[in-house]
Amino acid sequence: MESAKTPKELKHKKADFSEWYHEVIQKAGIIDKRYDVKGMFVWLDYGVQTMRLIKDIWDKLFREHGIKEMYFPLIVPLKYAKMNDEWFEGFKEQCFWLRSQGSEKEEHLLRPTGEPAIYPMMRLWIRTHGDLPIRLYETVSSFRYETRHTIPLIRDREITFWYEIHTAHATEQEAKEELEAHVRINEKIWYELAIPAIKVEKPIWECFPGAGGAIEFYTLMPNKKLLENGSCNDLGQAYAKKFDIKFRDASGKERYVWQTCTGNGARYLAAVIATHGDDFGLVLPPAIAPVQVVIIPIVFKGREEELKHYAKALETQLNSSGIRAYADLGDATAGEKYYYWDLRGVPLRIEVGPKELKEKHVTIVRRVDRYKVKADAGAVEEHVKAQLIKVHELLLNTAKAFYEEHITDAKTLSELEQELKKGKACRVPWCGSKECADSMQVFEGVEVAGSIYKLQANEACVVCGKKAEKVALVGNTY
Amino acid sequence: MESAKTPKELKHKKADFSEWYHEVIQKAGIIDKRYDVKGMFVWLDYGVQTMRLIKDIWDKLFREHGIKEMYFPLIVPLKYAKMNDEWFEGFKEQCFWLRSQGSEKEEHLLRPTGEPAIYPMMRLWIRTHGDLPIRLYETVSSFRYETRHTIPLIRDREITFWYEIHTAHATEQEAKEELEAHVRINEKIWYELAIPAIKVEKPIWECFPGAGGAIEFYTLMPNKKLLENGSCNDLGQAYAKKFDIKFRDASGKERYVWQTCTGNGARYLAAVIATHGDDFGLVLPPAIAPVQVVIIPIVFKGREEELKHYAKALETQLNSSGIRAYADLGDATAGEKYYYWDLRGVPLRIEVGPKELKEKHVTIVRRVDRYKVKADAGAVEEHVKAQLIKVHELLLNTAKAFYEEHITDAKTLSELEQELKKGKACRVPWCGSKECADSMQVFEGVEVAGSIYKLQANEACVVCGKKAEKVALVGNTY
């Protein structure tokens, strides 16, 4: 951890979210975007620490669910990539092609997704029903030659800290249950991030041919755009048939496996930054804050050593009870330190000055709302733990309120258009047909993300007037 | 964790180390080499878990030393690569070149080493002496189109789990002290792995032009070949001058920084497998064993449930005291389970049968020497902890004895030749000149690794007879 240095002012988040976002990720030490390849950037140490804490959450949840961590090469042979001709047609324009020095031919590509690296191996591993289920994941970079505007952590050409779960099962039912488990795992991750991400069933015509559907998470960004943020895919037997992944069932009959895949990565962090940040910088949920409490001695002449000693002792005391605390004993002024750690979104600040020392208490300040509370020095861990829980609650509630304010119901097409023009996303009764979904895209940039997960409509479809089976989520998207 | 399945017999390690090695890494579930790109393989879950425990050791040691974790893109622009023309000339034959679909030009390559990705960024980060020192590392894949015979974990085209530390300093002295710290960190890692790796000062003519030298670690493999296993490089100002990395000192004068870099990765695991393994499979040092103790119920009819319950309770009890324990309650026979977990190198096995249940004790069996000890069920944690320490000691002592037996002193060139022919590596008094080093390469495959770190000779150089300043380490190398 560094000591404070004085940074410059930030852009206002509300006035220009995009500029604010680019500025805060750079100034708060998450990334350095000056690496000279379009769509690629350097993760700085504070960014790595924060992202690693998010990864720790998924590593733990996956392991508990019996999903095994593996690692597949980043380089995919063309013949693996071509096993799924439809996949290949879809991705070949976005591929980075590889040639080794001295060779003429390009017979390899960098993985744009995991399937062509993983499924030929699954084919080798699966022989009988006894080999099933297989549950594996890897956290890895993926590479896509993105032709759209790139945005760090959101749309990159090297997609870093990307996890993919791939599973194979003997029955369709088991695969569907697995997928539900992945949805629940993602809900747990989103809870830790204090974000009420919306679960959406992807329109079937946007899924891979032969797939059984997908459940996608969407986060609502400060510019009111919907960002797809993780997907859980019911692959059915679509890939199994392409990659020839079969097993012998109990009766000796050969059958194709049923597969799922689930993925997400640095977009979790993008959503955290965008959702909780403010004009002073990041505001990190306690679960993923590399420093949960920063201790800043308010130093007055003559008591420096005593106060620093006290701050350091407090750090040790908090660390030993499992709290990530850090005493900033650097030479900067207290004000500079406040500014520096506010920028980095540290959830709590503890101020210790001569008064605190004398009266044997500390002052705890919450980053999110500047609320101050005095705590008895003897019971500081309990106070800090309680405040960290409170911070999480505040962040989640504020985010929920934002989602509620900006996602509204539209009962007619003209209502939909009006609300979209106000910058809102809408829940819209929908029959489920592609034609009606197309009609809901009332102007450019508007998309039907899908239908809200497990929510049934009671009204008529806003387009055709037929019975609405679903509630569409419609909005501006990334 | 899986339950036991019956594996097939292994090759004899002594009879054919190379075949044994290839077989054990596949059968023990470390890797699957059937991925269809030469020099690349799939890390299986047991391999990932083991490698991650090694990585945890370095992550912790680096963090304690103030080395910050970052992540740089895998793709390097050609213009960065060409900033160091000598580096580029050395690596260009081994590069994987990238072209994106729709583009004609290859203007990017996959990183063969980190310098061309990292140093242009360091140049941006360093302005004044206040920005120094910089200490960073990343764990990442590197890519080299290796034309020699590839060997998984030893010589790969995708070099996985590879860390690189890069530091920059204001003075030469500080850089040299930093390098010593990296040597000490590596010594700590080798200690945890129970391997007495040999520190060697690399001949200066083999270092990068302008560099101040390098300290390399060598491990002695079962085939008596020396394997370079990690290097700590004093880069001097060689790279700083190529990448134009300068700072203003306290007097305002512009100066080049002094740099170090240190790297290693999966070769740590290769050395562990090779050094400690036997004809039954892996033998893992406790520090990096994903399962430190496997608990196997010796089930007799009628007491199955009771015994399984007991084994599971023991697992919980051991886990809660920080020991990685696993109760294998699968359907395989006890014999099959022994075989399976022996193959995976689990340091300790606890057997619990009706007798143990009745007499309230457990039997602990050490993987390394099959030594059995009875332990009171009430104090099983203490016994296990003591045995894990003992296992580490046994492994380290056995490895030391192997090194002592197979590395000998040679006082003349003919002695050197004799000993090398016997398959030994030799310590040889050496004046330090390139000419004499060349003369020590008495037949093909023999190399002078360098001079043994901080060891001074008292004899005359075996080649020229002049005063020997150094002791060369000479042997067959990989």
Side-chain angles (χ1 to χ4, degrees), chain A residues 35-36 43 52 69 71 75 79 97 99 101 106 158, chain B residues 35-36 52 69 71 75 79 97 99 101 106 158:
Chain A
Y35 192 83
D36 206 4
W43 281 91
R52 278 253 236 156
E69 187 173 4
Y71 180 84
I75 295 179
K79 67 175 176 184
W97 293 91
R99 181 181 64 79
Q101 186 74 20
E106 287 171 342
E158 178 172 351
Chain B
Y35 191 82
D36 205 4
R52 279 254 235 154
E69 186 173 5
Y71 180 84
I75 295 179
K79 67 175 177 184
W97 293 89
R99 181 181 64 81
Q101 186 72 21
E106 286 170 344
E158 177 172 352

PDB file of all heavy atoms in Angstrom, chain A residues 35-36 43 52 69 71 75 79 97 99 101 106 158, chain B residues 35-36 52 69 71 75 79 97 99 101 106 158:
ATOM      1  N   TYR A  35      -1.313   1.777 -22.392  1.00  0.00           N
ATOM      2  CA  TYR A  35      -0.644   0.693 -23.139  1.00  0.00           C
ATOM      3  C   TYR A  35      -1.035   0.822 -24.602  1.00  0.00           C
ATOM      4  O   TYR A  35      -2.207   1.000 -24.921  1.00  0.00           O
ATOM      5  CB  TYR A  35      -1.096  -0.657 -22.583  1.00  0.00           C
ATOM      6  CG  TYR A  35      -0.266  -1.813 -23.089  1.00  0.00           C
ATOM      7  CD1 TYR A  35       0.944  -2.139 -22.479  1.00  0.00           C
ATOM      8  CD2 TYR A  35      -0.685  -2.592 -24.159  1.00  0.00           C
ATOM      9  CE1 TYR A  35       1.707  -3.201 -22.935  1.00  0.00           C
ATOM     10  CE2 TYR A  35       0.075  -3.660 -24.618  1.00  0.00           C
ATOM     11  CZ  TYR A  35       1.268  -3.958 -24.006  1.00  0.00           C
ATOM     12  OH  TYR A  35       2.026  -5.016 -24.455  1.00  0.00           O
ATOM     13  N   ASP A  36      -0.053   0.696 -25.477  1.00  0.00           N
ATOM     14  CA  ASP A  36      -0.304   1.105 -26.853  1.00  0.00           C
ATOM     15  C   ASP A  36      -0.840   0.011 -27.789  1.00  0.00           C
ATOM     16  O   ASP A  36      -0.360  -0.167 -28.905  1.00  0.00           O
ATOM     17  CB  ASP A  36       0.966   1.743 -27.439  1.00  0.00           C
ATOM     18  CG  ASP A  36       0.613   2.721 -28.569  1.00  0.00           C
ATOM     19  OD1 ASP A  36      -0.585   2.928 -28.814  1.00  0.00           O
ATOM     20  OD2 ASP A  36       1.543   3.256 -29.193  1.00  0.00           O
ATOM     21  N   TRP A  43      -3.384  -3.642 -15.872  1.00  0.00           N
ATOM     22  CA  TRP A  43      -4.009  -3.673 -14.549  1.00  0.00           C
ATOM     23  C   TRP A  43      -2.973  -3.206 -13.532  1.00  0.00           C
ATOM     24  O   TRP A  43      -1.923  -3.846 -13.386  1.00  0.00           O
ATOM     25  CB  TRP A  43      -4.421  -5.095 -14.171  1.00  0.00           C
ATOM     26  CG  TRP A  43      -5.688  -5.597 -14.779  1.00  0.00           C
ATOM     27  CD1 TRP A  43      -5.817  -6.277 -15.949  1.00  0.00           C
ATOM     28  CD2 TRP A  43      -7.016  -5.500 -14.218  1.00  0.00           C
ATOM     29  NE1 TRP A  43      -7.142  -6.598 -16.157  1.00  0.00           N
ATOM     30  CE2 TRP A  43      -7.890  -6.136 -15.114  1.00  0.00           C
ATOM     31  CE3 TRP A  43      -7.531  -4.936 -13.053  1.00  0.00           C
ATOM     32  CZ2 TRP A  43      -9.264  -6.225 -14.885  1.00  0.00           C
ATOM     33  CZ3 TRP A  43      -8.892  -5.028 -12.828  1.00  0.00           C
ATOM     34  CH2 TRP A  43      -9.754  -5.653 -13.723  1.00  0.00           C
ATOM     35  N   ARG A  52      -9.008  -9.429  -7.751  1.00  0.00           N
ATOM     36  CA  ARG A  52      -8.691 -10.711  -7.132  1.00  0.00           C
ATOM     37  C   ARG A  52      -9.664 -11.042  -6.004  1.00  0.00           C
ATOM     38  O   ARG A  52      -9.975 -12.211  -5.773  1.00  0.00           O
ATOM     39  CB  ARG A  52      -7.279 -10.653  -6.561  1.00  0.00           C
ATOM     40  CG  ARG A  52      -6.245 -10.902  -7.619  1.00  0.00           C
ATOM     41  CD  ARG A  52      -5.647 -12.267  -7.437  1.00  0.00           C
ATOM     42  NE  ARG A  52      -4.221 -12.189  -7.298  1.00  0.00           N
ATOM     43  CZ  ARG A  52      -3.504 -13.123  -6.678  1.00  0.00           C
ATOM     44  NH1 ARG A  52      -4.097 -14.148  -6.103  1.00  0.00           N
ATOM     45  NH2 ARG A  52      -2.213 -13.014  -6.614  1.00  0.00           N
ATOM     46  N   GLU A  69     -11.212 -26.366 -10.962  1.00  0.00           N
ATOM     47  CA  GLU A  69     -10.444 -25.392 -11.738  1.00  0.00           C
ATOM     48  C   GLU A  69      -9.417 -26.095 -12.632  1.00  0.00           C
ATOM     49  O   GLU A  69      -8.679 -26.967 -12.193  1.00  0.00           O
ATOM     50  CB  GLU A  69      -9.724 -24.405 -10.813  1.00  0.00           C
ATOM     51  CG  GLU A  69      -9.069 -23.300 -11.622  1.00  0.00           C
ATOM     52  CD  GLU A  69      -8.472 -22.194 -10.786  1.00  0.00           C
ATOM     53  OE1 GLU A  69      -8.480 -22.275  -9.554  1.00  0.00           O
ATOM     54  OE2 GLU A  69      -7.981 -21.217 -11.406  1.00  0.00           O
ATOM     55  N   TYR A  71      -6.910 -25.332 -16.529  1.00  0.00           N
ATOM     56  CA  TYR A  71      -6.382 -24.282 -17.388  1.00  0.00           C
ATOM     57  C   TYR A  71      -6.108 -24.876 -18.767  1.00  0.00           C
ATOM     58  O   TYR A  71      -5.392 -25.870 -18.882  1.00  0.00           O
ATOM     59  CB  TYR A  71      -5.101 -23.661 -16.802  1.00  0.00           C
ATOM     60  CG  TYR A  71      -4.550 -22.572 -17.684  1.00  0.00           C
ATOM     61  CD1 TYR A  71      -5.040 -21.267 -17.596  1.00  0.00           C
ATOM     62  CD2 TYR A  71      -3.579 -22.851 -18.642  1.00  0.00           C
ATOM     63  CE1 TYR A  71      -4.569 -20.267 -18.435  1.00  0.00           C
ATOM     64  CE2 TYR A  71      -3.100 -21.853 -19.486  1.00  0.00           C
ATOM     65  CZ  TYR A  71      -3.599 -20.565 -19.370  1.00  0.00           C
ATOM     66  OH  TYR A  71      -3.127 -19.585 -20.205  1.00  0.00           O
ATOM     67  N   ILE A  75      -3.938 -20.855 -27.053  1.00  0.00           N
ATOM     68  CA  ILE A  75      -3.846 -21.039 -28.501  1.00  0.00           C
ATOM     69  C   ILE A  75      -4.677 -22.253 -28.921  1.00  0.00           C
ATOM     70  O   ILE A  75      -4.548 -23.330 -28.341  1.00  0.00           O
ATOM     71  CB  ILE A  75      -2.364 -21.180 -28.923  1.00  0.00           C
ATOM     72  CG1 ILE A  75      -1.633 -19.853 -28.643  1.00  0.00           C
ATOM     73  CG2 ILE A  75      -2.249 -21.584 -30.388  1.00  0.00           C
ATOM     74  CD1 ILE A  75      -0.163 -19.850 -28.998  1.00  0.00           C
ATOM     75  N   LYS A  79      -8.227 -26.638 -36.497  1.00  0.00           N
ATOM     76  CA  LYS A  79      -9.109 -27.800 -36.666  1.00  0.00           C
ATOM     77  C   LYS A  79     -10.085 -27.957 -35.497  1.00  0.00           C
ATOM     78  O   LYS A  79     -11.196 -28.427 -35.681  1.00  0.00           O
ATOM     79  CB  LYS A  79      -8.312 -29.084 -36.902  1.00  0.00           C
ATOM     80  CG  LYS A  79      -7.487 -29.554 -35.742  1.00  0.00           C
ATOM     81  CD  LYS A  79      -6.855 -30.916 -36.077  1.00  0.00           C
ATOM     82  CE  LYS A  79      -5.942 -31.333 -34.940  1.00  0.00           C
ATOM     83  NZ  LYS A  79      -5.226 -32.559 -35.216  1.00  0.00           N
ATOM     84  N   TRP A  97      -5.162 -14.144 -35.451  1.00  0.00           N
ATOM     85  CA  TRP A  97      -4.532 -15.308 -36.082  1.00  0.00           C
ATOM     86  C   TRP A  97      -3.058 -15.360 -35.745  1.00  0.00           C
ATOM     87  O   TRP A  97      -2.393 -14.333 -35.668  1.00  0.00           O
ATOM     88  CB  TRP A  97      -4.715 -15.232 -37.601  1.00  0.00           C
ATOM     89  CG  TRP A  97      -6.143 -15.390 -37.960  1.00  0.00           C
ATOM     90  CD1 TRP A  97      -7.067 -14.401 -38.098  1.00  0.00           C
ATOM     91  CD2 TRP A  97      -6.837 -16.612 -38.170  1.00  0.00           C
ATOM     92  NE1 TRP A  97      -8.297 -14.933 -38.385  1.00  0.00           N
ATOM     93  CE2 TRP A  97      -8.182 -16.293 -38.447  1.00  0.00           C
ATOM     94  CE3 TRP A  97      -6.448 -17.959 -38.164  1.00  0.00           C
ATOM     95  CZ2 TRP A  97      -9.146 -17.258 -38.704  1.00  0.00           C
ATOM     96  CZ3 TRP A  97      -7.396 -18.918 -38.433  1.00  0.00           C
ATOM     97  CH2 TRP A  97      -8.733 -18.568 -38.695  1.00  0.00           C
ATOM     98  N   ARG A  99       0.867 -16.882 -36.350  1.00  0.00           N
ATOM     99  CA  ARG A  99       1.857 -17.513 -37.209  1.00  0.00           C
ATOM    100  C   ARG A  99       3.173 -17.511 -36.437  1.00  0.00           C
ATOM    101  O   ARG A  99       3.519 -16.524 -35.817  1.00  0.00           O
ATOM    102  CB  ARG A  99       2.015 -16.709 -38.503  1.00  0.00           C
ATOM    103  CG  ARG A  99       3.010 -17.286 -39.505  1.00  0.00           C
ATOM    104  CD  ARG A  99       3.119 -16.410 -40.746  1.00  0.00           C
ATOM    105  NE  ARG A  99       3.646 -15.094 -40.435  1.00  0.00           N
ATOM    106  CZ  ARG A  99       4.944 -14.826 -40.247  1.00  0.00           C
ATOM    107  NH1 ARG A  99       5.843 -15.778 -40.325  1.00  0.00           N
ATOM    108  NH2 ARG A  99       5.343 -13.595 -39.965  1.00  0.00           N
ATOM    109  N   GLN A 101       7.295 -17.643 -36.435  1.00  0.00           N
ATOM    110  CA  GLN A 101       8.391 -17.241 -37.317  1.00  0.00           C
ATOM    111  C   GLN A 101       8.869 -18.450 -38.120  1.00  0.00           C
ATOM    112  O   GLN A 101       9.018 -19.536 -37.583  1.00  0.00           O
ATOM    113  CB  GLN A 101       9.529 -16.689 -36.450  1.00  0.00           C
ATOM    114  CG  GLN A 101      10.677 -16.094 -37.208  1.00  0.00           C
ATOM    115  CD  GLN A 101      10.323 -14.735 -37.801  1.00  0.00           C
ATOM    116  OE1 GLN A 101       9.390 -14.077 -37.370  1.00  0.00           O
ATOM    117  NE2 GLN A 101      11.058 -14.337 -38.816  1.00  0.00           N
ATOM    118  N   GLU A 106      -1.089 -19.949 -41.183  1.00  0.00           N
ATOM    119  CA  GLU A 106      -1.737 -19.597 -39.918  1.00  0.00           C
ATOM    120  C   GLU A 106      -2.683 -20.729 -39.563  1.00  0.00           C
ATOM    121  O   GLU A 106      -3.782 -20.817 -40.089  1.00  0.00           O
ATOM    122  CB  GLU A 106      -2.522 -18.306 -40.076  1.00  0.00           C
ATOM    123  CG  GLU A 106      -1.634 -17.080 -40.176  1.00  0.00           C
ATOM    124  CD  GLU A 106      -2.399 -15.842 -40.550  1.00  0.00           C
ATOM    125  OE1 GLU A 106      -3.532 -15.972 -41.053  1.00  0.00           O
ATOM    126  OE2 GLU A 106      -1.864 -14.749 -40.352  1.00  0.00           O
ATOM    127  N   GLU A 158      -8.383  -7.756 -25.287  1.00  0.00           N
ATOM    128  CA  GLU A 158      -8.001  -8.827 -24.376  1.00  0.00           C
ATOM    129  C   GLU A 158      -8.961  -8.753 -23.203  1.00  0.00           C
ATOM    130  O   GLU A 158      -8.960  -7.773 -22.443  1.00  0.00           O
ATOM    131  CB  GLU A 158      -6.551  -8.718 -23.884  1.00  0.00           C
ATOM    132  CG  GLU A 158      -6.240  -9.841 -22.883  1.00  0.00           C
ATOM    133  CD  GLU A 158      -4.786  -9.956 -22.455  1.00  0.00           C
ATOM    134  OE1 GLU A 158      -3.913  -9.289 -23.037  1.00  0.00           O
ATOM    135  OE2 GLU A 158      -4.517 -10.747 -21.519  1.00  0.00           O
TER     136      GLU A 158
ATOM    137  N   TYR B  35      -3.722 -32.263 -25.631  1.00  0.00           N
ATOM    138  CA  TYR B  35      -4.154 -31.067 -26.354  1.00  0.00           C
ATOM    139  C   TYR B  35      -3.329 -30.967 -27.630  1.00  0.00           C
ATOM    140  O   TYR B  35      -2.098 -31.121 -27.590  1.00  0.00           O
ATOM    141  CB  TYR B  35      -3.932 -29.831 -25.480  1.00  0.00           C
ATOM    142  CG  TYR B  35      -4.590 -28.588 -26.016  1.00  0.00           C
ATOM    143  CD1 TYR B  35      -5.943 -28.348 -25.774  1.00  0.00           C
ATOM    144  CD2 TYR B  35      -3.884 -27.656 -26.766  1.00  0.00           C
ATOM    145  CE1 TYR B  35      -6.567 -27.206 -26.271  1.00  0.00           C
ATOM    146  CE2 TYR B  35      -4.499 -26.518 -27.262  1.00  0.00           C
ATOM    147  CZ  TYR B  35      -5.838 -26.297 -27.004  1.00  0.00           C
ATOM    148  OH  TYR B  35      -6.446 -25.167 -27.503  1.00  0.00           O
ATOM    149  N   ASP B  36      -3.989 -30.684 -28.740  1.00  0.00           N
ATOM    150  CA  ASP B  36      -3.321 -30.870 -30.028  1.00  0.00           C
ATOM    151  C   ASP B  36      -2.557 -29.647 -30.558  1.00  0.00           C
ATOM    152  O   ASP B  36      -2.692 -29.265 -31.718  1.00  0.00           O
ATOM    153  CB  ASP B  36      -4.338 -31.373 -31.063  1.00  0.00           C
ATOM    154  CG  ASP B  36      -3.648 -32.148 -32.180  1.00  0.00           C
ATOM    155  OD1 ASP B  36      -2.416 -32.345 -32.075  1.00  0.00           O
ATOM    156  OD2 ASP B  36      -4.323 -32.543 -33.140  1.00  0.00           O
ATOM    157  N   ARG B  52      -1.151 -23.789  -7.735  1.00  0.00           N
ATOM    158  CA  ARG B  52      -1.676 -22.614  -7.034  1.00  0.00           C
ATOM    159  C   ARG B  52      -1.101 -22.502  -5.626  1.00  0.00           C
ATOM    160  O   ARG B  52      -0.892 -21.391  -5.123  1.00  0.00           O
ATOM    161  CB  ARG B  52      -3.200 -22.723  -6.932  1.00  0.00           C
ATOM    162  CG  ARG B  52      -3.886 -22.286  -8.202  1.00  0.00           C
ATOM    163  CD  ARG B  52      -4.527 -20.936  -7.974  1.00  0.00           C
ATOM    164  NE  ARG B  52      -5.925 -20.981  -8.294  1.00  0.00           N
ATOM    165  CZ  ARG B  52      -6.823 -20.172  -7.759  1.00  0.00           C
ATOM    166  NH1 ARG B  52      -6.466 -19.281  -6.851  1.00  0.00           N
ATOM    167  NH2 ARG B  52      -8.068 -20.242  -8.112  1.00  0.00           N
ATOM    168  N   GLU B  69       1.489  -6.627  -7.310  1.00  0.00           N
ATOM    169  CA  GLU B  69       1.019  -7.442  -8.427  1.00  0.00           C
ATOM    170  C   GLU B  69       0.301  -6.575  -9.465  1.00  0.00           C
ATOM    171  O   GLU B  69      -0.566  -5.766  -9.126  1.00  0.00           O
ATOM    172  CB  GLU B  69       0.075  -8.534  -7.936  1.00  0.00           C
ATOM    173  CG  GLU B  69      -0.288  -9.469  -9.078  1.00  0.00           C
ATOM    174  CD  GLU B  69      -1.081 -10.689  -8.660  1.00  0.00           C
ATOM    175  OE1 GLU B  69      -1.450 -10.798  -7.486  1.00  0.00           O
ATOM    176  OE2 GLU B  69      -1.330 -11.534  -9.536  1.00  0.00           O
ATOM    177  N   TYR B  71      -0.859  -6.621 -13.993  1.00  0.00           N
ATOM    178  CA  TYR B  71      -1.076  -7.509 -15.138  1.00  0.00           C
ATOM    179  C   TYR B  71      -0.940  -6.701 -16.416  1.00  0.00           C
ATOM    180  O   TYR B  71      -1.609  -5.683 -16.583  1.00  0.00           O
ATOM    181  CB  TYR B  71      -2.459  -8.176 -15.082  1.00  0.00           C
ATOM    182  CG  TYR B  71      -2.693  -9.095 -16.256  1.00  0.00           C
ATOM    183  CD1 TYR B  71      -2.220 -10.400 -16.233  1.00  0.00           C
ATOM    184  CD2 TYR B  71      -3.339  -8.645 -17.407  1.00  0.00           C
ATOM    185  CE1 TYR B  71      -2.385 -11.244 -17.323  1.00  0.00           C
ATOM    186  CE2 TYR B  71      -3.513  -9.481 -18.503  1.00  0.00           C
ATOM    187  CZ  TYR B  71      -3.033 -10.777 -18.454  1.00  0.00           C
ATOM    188  OH  TYR B  71      -3.209 -11.594 -19.533  1.00  0.00           O
ATOM    189  N   ILE B  75      -0.373  -9.268 -25.514  1.00  0.00           N
ATOM    190  CA  ILE B  75      -0.024  -8.856 -26.867  1.00  0.00           C
ATOM    191  C   ILE B  75       0.859  -7.614 -26.819  1.00  0.00           C
ATOM    192  O   ILE B  75       0.538  -6.640 -26.143  1.00  0.00           O
ATOM    193  CB  ILE B  75      -1.305  -8.599 -27.697  1.00  0.00           C
ATOM    194  CG1 ILE B  75      -2.067  -9.929 -27.874  1.00  0.00           C
ATOM    195  CG2 ILE B  75      -0.970  -7.966 -29.043  1.00  0.00           C
ATOM    196  CD1 ILE B  75      -3.354  -9.825 -28.656  1.00  0.00           C
ATOM    197  N   LYS B  79       6.448  -2.133 -32.127  1.00  0.00           N
ATOM    198  CA  LYS B  79       7.312  -0.986 -31.823  1.00  0.00           C
ATOM    199  C   LYS B  79       7.872  -1.052 -30.391  1.00  0.00           C
ATOM    200  O   LYS B  79       8.977  -0.587 -30.155  1.00  0.00           O
ATOM    201  CB  LYS B  79       6.580   0.340 -32.070  1.00  0.00           C
ATOM    202  CG  LYS B  79       5.433   0.636 -31.157  1.00  0.00           C
ATOM    203  CD  LYS B  79       4.896   2.030 -31.446  1.00  0.00           C
ATOM    204  CE  LYS B  79       3.678   2.303 -30.574  1.00  0.00           C
ATOM    205  NZ  LYS B  79       3.052   3.577 -30.849  1.00  0.00           N
ATOM    206  N   TRP B  97       3.521 -14.550 -34.124  1.00  0.00           N
ATOM    207  CA  TRP B  97       3.087 -13.290 -34.718  1.00  0.00           C
ATOM    208  C   TRP B  97       1.579 -13.261 -34.844  1.00  0.00           C
ATOM    209  O   TRP B  97       0.955 -14.273 -35.151  1.00  0.00           O
ATOM    210  CB  TRP B  97       3.717 -13.115 -36.098  1.00  0.00           C
ATOM    211  CG  TRP B  97       5.192 -12.941 -35.984  1.00  0.00           C
ATOM    212  CD1 TRP B  97       6.132 -13.932 -35.980  1.00  0.00           C
ATOM    213  CD2 TRP B  97       5.883 -11.712 -35.784  1.00  0.00           C
ATOM    214  NE1 TRP B  97       7.374 -13.393 -35.801  1.00  0.00           N
ATOM    215  CE2 TRP B  97       7.255 -12.028 -35.686  1.00  0.00           C
ATOM    216  CE3 TRP B  97       5.485 -10.378 -35.681  1.00  0.00           C
ATOM    217  CZ2 TRP B  97       8.233 -11.056 -35.484  1.00  0.00           C
ATOM    218  CZ3 TRP B  97       6.458  -9.410 -35.496  1.00  0.00           C
ATOM    219  CH2 TRP B  97       7.814  -9.757 -35.392  1.00  0.00           C
ATOM    220  N   ARG B  99      -2.021 -11.547 -36.363  1.00  0.00           N
ATOM    221  CA  ARG B  99      -2.713 -10.759 -37.371  1.00  0.00           C
ATOM    222  C   ARG B  99      -4.192 -10.868 -37.045  1.00  0.00           C
ATOM    223  O   ARG B  99      -4.690 -11.934 -36.716  1.00  0.00           O
ATOM    224  CB  ARG B  99      -2.443 -11.343 -38.754  1.00  0.00           C
ATOM    225  CG  ARG B  99      -3.108 -10.590 -39.906  1.00  0.00           C
ATOM    226  CD  ARG B  99      -2.812 -11.252 -41.231  1.00  0.00           C
ATOM    227  NE  ARG B  99      -3.384 -12.594 -41.314  1.00  0.00           N
ATOM    228  CZ  ARG B  99      -4.666 -12.843 -41.606  1.00  0.00           C
ATOM    229  NH1 ARG B  99      -5.511 -11.868 -41.830  1.00  0.00           N
ATOM    230  NH2 ARG B  99      -5.110 -14.084 -41.655  1.00  0.00           N
ATOM    231  N   GLN B 101      -8.134 -10.672 -38.240  1.00  0.00           N
ATOM    232  CA  GLN B 101      -8.900 -10.908 -39.463  1.00  0.00           C
ATOM    233  C   GLN B 101      -9.147  -9.575 -40.175  1.00  0.00           C
ATOM    234  O   GLN B 101      -9.492  -8.582 -39.547  1.00  0.00           O
ATOM    235  CB  GLN B 101     -10.233 -11.559 -39.077  1.00  0.00           C
ATOM    236  CG  GLN B 101     -11.089 -11.996 -40.241  1.00  0.00           C
ATOM    237  CD  GLN B 101     -10.521 -13.224 -40.949  1.00  0.00           C
ATOM    238  OE1 GLN B 101      -9.744 -13.967 -40.377  1.00  0.00           O
ATOM    239  NE2 GLN B 101     -10.896 -13.399 -42.195  1.00  0.00           N
ATOM    240  N   GLU B 106       1.233  -7.810 -39.799  1.00  0.00           N
ATOM    241  CA  GLU B 106       1.475  -8.378 -38.476  1.00  0.00           C
ATOM    242  C   GLU B 106       2.240  -7.347 -37.669  1.00  0.00           C
ATOM    243  O   GLU B 106       3.451  -7.196 -37.823  1.00  0.00           O
ATOM    244  CB  GLU B 106       2.306  -9.649 -38.594  1.00  0.00           C
ATOM    245  CG  GLU B 106       1.518 -10.826 -39.134  1.00  0.00           C
ATOM    246  CD  GLU B 106       2.414 -12.004 -39.466  1.00  0.00           C
ATOM    247  OE1 GLU B 106       3.638 -11.809 -39.559  1.00  0.00           O
ATOM    248  OE2 GLU B 106       1.887 -13.098 -39.638  1.00  0.00           O
ATOM    249  N   GLU B 158       3.654 -22.578 -24.645  1.00  0.00           N
ATOM    250  CA  GLU B 158       2.985 -21.648 -23.727  1.00  0.00           C
ATOM    251  C   GLU B 158       3.546 -21.945 -22.352  1.00  0.00           C
ATOM    252  O   GLU B 158       3.330 -23.025 -21.794  1.00  0.00           O
ATOM    253  CB  GLU B 158       1.451 -21.800 -23.725  1.00  0.00           C
ATOM    254  CG  GLU B 158       0.831 -20.854 -22.688  1.00  0.00           C
ATOM    255  CD  GLU B 158      -0.687 -20.763 -22.722  1.00  0.00           C
ATOM    256  OE1 GLU B 158      -1.316 -21.311 -23.659  1.00  0.00           O
ATOM    257  OE2 GLU B 158      -1.246 -20.138 -21.804  1.00  0.00           O
TER     258      GLU B 158
END
